[in-house]
Amino acid sequence: MRDTTRRFLEGIEAVPGLAVTGRPDLSVFEFGSSALDIGAVGDVMDERGWHLDRQQGGLHLMVSPYHAHVVEAFLADVADAAAIAGSGRAGSGRSATYGAAPPV
């Protein structure tokens, strides 16, 4: 599974505008962007059947052994999603589902 996680990390880092947040020790990580509307990236990924958790800083991924079979398809879709977001598509405004707390 380490090889699959590494492939996700390298593939995401190769997409212009996307960056992995920190370096994970295991197979759970987040990626985001300072250049793209990460909400728009998440929306495109939702439309393509990849339902990533939205966090305050980006999109959250948990890699399992099954993901070895789909990593290349995921990376192709995330590259397309980043290109679409880069062309000016705005996110739907769907808020983070993890890491967000209601105001006190």
Side-chain angles (χ1 to χ4, degrees):
M1 192 162 70
R2 229 173 225 189
D3 291 339
T4 304
T5 301
R6 189 172 311 123
R7 180 66 191 117
F8 272 107
L9 296 172
E10 291 169 354
I12 290 167
E13 289 282 345
V15 175
L18 296 182
V20 175
T21 307
R23 297 311 299 170
D25 290 327
L26 298 171
S27 58
V28 178
F29 63 91
E30 175 190 83
F31 66 95
S33 179
S34 61
L36 303 172
D37 182 337
I38 200 66
V41 174
D43 291 344
V44 173
M45 294 302 282
D46 284 346
E47 291 164 7
R48 295 189 180 191
W50 305 103
H51 301 289
L52 305 172
D53 290 328
R54 294 168 192 242
Q55 296 188 7
Q56 290 176 323
L59 302 172
H60 182 247
L61 203 70
M62 294 173 38
V63 181
S64 74
Y66 174 79
H67 289 114
H69 304 287
V70 299
V71 64
E72 297 305 325
F74 176 92
L75 292 173
D77 282 345
V78 81
D80 286 347
I84 291 167
S87 71
R89 176 174 171 172
S92 64
R94 206 171 121 213
S95 64
T97 56
Y98 182 81
V104 185

